[in-house]
Amino acid sequence: IGRSFIDFVHPTDRNTLASQITSALAVPKIVNSTMVCRIRRYRGLSTGFGLKDRVVTFMPFLLKFTFKNVCDEEKVIYLVIQATPYFSAFRIPNEVVAKAVPFVMRHSANGKLEYIDPESVPYLGYLPQDVADKDALQLYHPDDLDYLQQVYETIVKEGGVPRTKTYRMKAQNGDYLKVETEWSSFMNPWSKRLEFVIGKHHIIEGPANPDVFQSPMSEEEKTKAQKFRDGIVRIMNEVLTKSAEMAKQQMTKRCQDLATFMESLMEEQPKVDEELRLDIQDPDHSYYERDSVMLGGISPHHDHTDSKSSIGTPLS
């Protein structure tokens, strides 16, 4: 009580609401007008005062506006709003609805949506202002476009189609429902060109996800999900398995043992008569074999092409 009603309306619907109210006020006589908009749901205080951590959710409503003059001390115009909530028409996946209410959509010759019935909201999940001027052809399933092209050819030639075969139409949540459509059109009598097409759609089967108001995955969510997928692939390809980790630990221990052994060798002072003698003038290079220290069969003084010490002991 005492707060502005606009505060509870979804940010993307506020301009539409303001425009609707302004248009209604401009009419000389008091008339009823309607629109569909999302209203914020009460988050509640049952979990304490940490409301900032609760996600803000909105629910679609059909709003009916009535302006009333109330004469108290001074004349005041009140706006009375009757709000009726929308719920998804489907309860289970791929539900066959017995008494589905048909709805009408109209689009221009370039495919832009000009009108969509409020009756479509519980079936498709779109608010009329969300799809206004959007491409109606984007609602059709890609695999049905071949058939629908033939339907549109018939509409142009014959002016309409009594009723199509079943095809798929995209709901707001990204899933598809099955519909059959009665088509009519308006041809400009002067230009003899098609002006717009009207489709009366009959629901045959609901989408796999029955909640048509569920938000489709945003680009941010898609990016986040892809990062997790990439992380899983990276883990499978880069992170060491248990056996590889044990092998790595064993190799580390061997390296440490070798380092300790080498340090002990370095700490021992060689005796004078055991010092290495190198005579670079020796023509037969026999001192290589005589005076070099052999480590694992490999002499640090040997040339890598010397076959005597390198056979069977490749450098690593």
Side-chain angles (χ1 to χ4, degrees):
I1 301 297
R3 294 186 61 180
S4 171
F5 178 70
I6 295 290
D7 292 343
F8 299 92
V9 175
H10 194 283
T12 57
D13 296 334
R14 290 175 184 175
N15 287 339
T16 306
L17 177 65
S19 175
Q20 193 81 9
I21 294 172
T22 303
S23 300
L25 280 172
V27 179
K29 60 180 180 179
I30 298 175
V31 295
N32 294 336
S33 60
T34 61
M35 72 164 286
V36 181
C37 88
R38 287 154 289 206
I39 298 178
R40 195 177 78 196
R41 301 186 68 169
Y42 178 59
R43 290 182 288 181
L45 293 170
S46 59
T47 55
F49 294 97
L51 295 183
K52 290 183 179 180
D53 297 330
R54 300 285 301 273
V55 177
V56 178
T57 57
F58 293 83
M59 189 172 178
F61 283 83
L62 176 66
L63 304 186
K64 293 183 179 180
F65 304 107
T66 305
F67 294 96
K68 290 186 177 181
N69 293 321
V70 179
C71 296
D72 293 333
E73 297 179 356
E74 58 183 67
K75 188 177 181 180
V76 179
I77 298 178
Y78 283 88
L79 169 63
V80 179
I81 300 176
Q82 180 184 355
T84 305
Y86 276 115
F87 299 97
S88 177
F90 311 106
R91 294 167 296 174
I92 58 175
N94 306 112
E95 181 179 359
V96 178
V97 182
K99 296 181 180 180
V101 179
F103 57 88
V104 173
M105 295 171 63
R106 184 181 75 232
H107 67 77
S108 62
N110 62 6
K112 283 191 175 182
L113 271 170
E114 296 179 338
Y115 173 80
I116 181 170
D117 258 347
E119 285 82 358
S120 69
V121 175
Y123 299 105
L124 294 178
Y126 300 108
L127 272 62
Q129 59 266 31
D130 290 343
V131 292
D133 294 327
K134 297 294 174 61
D135 187 359
L137 306 184
Q138 293 290 337
L139 298 177
Y140 305 147
H141 194 285
D143 293 343
D144 295 332
L145 290 174
D146 183 28
Y147 166 66
L148 289 169
Q149 181 172 320
Q150 301 173 29
V151 170
Y152 275 90
E153 288 174 355
T154 305
I155 292 172
V156 173
K157 291 177 183 177
E158 307 294 335
V161 174
R163 185 137 173 173
T164 65
K165 295 189 297 184
T166 301
Y167 66 96
R168 288 159 290 186
M169 183 175 286
K170 192 175 185 179
Q172 191 271 156
N173 63 9
D175 284 342
Y176 289 86
L177 50 138
K178 294 181 180 179
V179 300
E180 293 178 1
T181 305
E182 301 173 42
W183 294 100
S184 61
S185 64
F186 175 74
M187 202 75 66
N188 190 310
W190 288 276
S191 65
K192 305 299 182 183
R193 297 181 67 86
L194 182 72
E195 288 287 334
F196 55 80
V197 175
I198 300 173
K200 186 177 183 181
H201 305 287
H202 301 265
I203 305 297
I204 304 301
E205 184 181 291
N209 179 2
D211 185 4
V212 295
F213 295 115
Q214 183 176 324
S215 299
M217 190 177 288
S218 65
E219 290 301 319
E220 182 180 350
E221 289 172 325
K222 289 178 182 177
T223 303
K224 185 178 179 181
Q226 189 58 45
K227 284 177 65 178
F228 282 119
R229 294 190 192 101
D230 294 340
I232 293 171
V233 172
R234 187 172 63 254
I235 288 170
M236 292 189 293
N237 288 278
E238 295 180 6
V239 177
L240 292 174
T241 61
K242 187 175 181 180
S243 58
E245 185 66 30
M246 289 177 63
K248 182 181 178 183
Q249 291 174 358
Q250 291 173 358
M251 182 60 68
T252 302
K253 187 177 184 303
R254 290 177 62 186
C255 290
Q256 289 173 346
D257 292 344
L258 178 60
T260 303
F261 172 68
M262 294 299 293
E263 287 174 2
S264 66
L265 288 179
M266 295 296 293
E267 289 173 358
E268 292 181 4
Q269 295 297 325
K271 297 177 181 179
V272 177
D273 58 352
E274 293 178 347
E275 289 182 355
L276 301 179
R277 298 182 304 278
L278 295 179
D279 185 0
I280 61 173
Q281 303 300 323
D282 193 340
D284 61 1
H285 304 283
S286 61
Y287 58 85
Y288 283 161
E289 298 292 342
R290 184 176 66 250
D291 298 328
S292 60
V293 178
M294 302 299 290
L295 297 178
I298 301 177
S299 170
H301 300 293
H302 266 286
D303 185 77
H304 69 278
T305 58
D306 193 304
S307 61
K308 291 182 180 180
S309 62
S310 63
I311 294 175
T313 316
L315 290 174
S316 172

